[in-house]
């Protein structure tokens, strides 16, 4: 009888722990988010001619993050470019570039995507179909 009682307590504790974890996860994942029209969100990049020092890179990133309409601003590890996302209804890429140019003596330029590059789609995607695991899964489905 003692073994049965112990097994029941362990089972009850496990079920309680798993249920608590599941409830916490559901609450954490389903938090209400601001109603944002994602069609207005745009990525932009500013390239620097030389590597920025850490202090200058931090001040530029902070200044761009503080601009209205800018959501995220990041400077890459080599500190040679700034990538940021912004709401086109609230901010303009040229205005952000002017702010960055005023903050840094390092020469910089905006990355402007050509119409041809935009027509090809995302540069991160492999052109010409699926390879590797994606092709194998596609083959299973078809």
């Amino acid at each position: 009888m003692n073994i049965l009682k112990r097994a029941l307590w362990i089972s009850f504790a496990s079920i309680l722990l798993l249920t608590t974890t599941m409830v916490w996860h559901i609450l954490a994942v389903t938090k209400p988010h601001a109603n944002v029209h994602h069609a207005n969100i745009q990525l932009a990049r500013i390239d620097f001619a030389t590597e920025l020092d850490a202090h200058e890179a931090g001040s530029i990133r902070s200044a761009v993050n503080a601009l209205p309409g800018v959501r995220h601003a990041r400077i890459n590890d080599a500190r040679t470019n700034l990538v940021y996302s912004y709401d086109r209804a609230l901010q303009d890429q040229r205005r952000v570039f002017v702010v960055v140019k005023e903050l840094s003596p390092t020469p910089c330029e905006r990355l402007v995507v050509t119409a041809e590059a935009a027509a090809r789609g995302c540069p991160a995607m492999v052109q010409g179909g699926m390879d590797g695991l994606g092709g194998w899964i596609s083959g299973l489905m078809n």
Side-chain angles (χ1 to χ4, degrees), residues 2 4 9 14 16 23-24 32 37 39 46 52 55 57 69 79 85 89 95 98 102 105 108 116 118 126 137:
N2 204 10
L4 180 62
W9 275 109
S14 298
L16 182 65
V23 168
W24 173 82
H37 194 296
I46 297 174
L52 301 171
H55 178 70
R79 296 191 300 268
S85 62
R95 281 188 271 168
V98 168
E102 289 175 356
C108 58
E116 178 186 336
V126 175
I137 293 172

Side-chain angles (χ1 to χ4, degrees), residues 5-42:
K5 232 183 206 182
R6 185 174 177 188
L8 286 174
W9 275 109
I10 290 173
S11 298
F12 175 73
S14 298
I15 290 171
L16 182 65
L17 179 67
L18 290 172
T19 303
T20 304
T21 304
M22 182 179 67
V23 168
W24 173 82
H25 175 73
I26 290 171
L27 289 174
V29 171
T30 59
K31 285 182 182 175
H33 297 284
N35 191 9
V36 177
H37 194 296
H38 291 291
N40 283 337
I41 304 300
Q42 181 76 40

Side-chain angles (χ1 to χ4, degrees), residues 31-120:
K31 285 182 182 175
H33 297 284
N35 191 9
V36 177
H37 194 296
H38 291 291
N40 283 337
I41 304 300
Q42 181 76 40
L43 280 176
R45 187 173 97 187
I46 297 174
D47 296 323
F48 296 96
T50 59
E51 181 179 333
L52 301 171
D53 65 59
H55 178 70
E56 184 181 14
S59 65
I60 290 172
R61 186 186 59 77
S62 296
V64 171
N65 261 336
L67 293 173
V70 173
R71 299 198 176 273
H72 303 285
R74 302 286 182 260
I75 293 186
N76 69 345
D77 289 338
R79 296 191 300 268
T80 56
N81 64 34
L82 166 74
V83 177
Y84 61 95
S85 62
Y86 66 97
D87 187 341
R88 293 184 302 171
L90 301 173
Q91 191 56 263
D92 182 44
Q93 190 177 6
R94 288 180 190 93
R95 281 188 271 168
V96 174
F97 180 68
V98 168
V99 169
V100 170
K101 201 166 175 109
E102 289 175 356
L103 287 172
S104 175
T106 306
C108 58
E109 63 182 38
R110 291 185 311 129
L111 174 70
V112 179
V113 179
T114 63
E116 178 186 336
R120 282 186 278 151

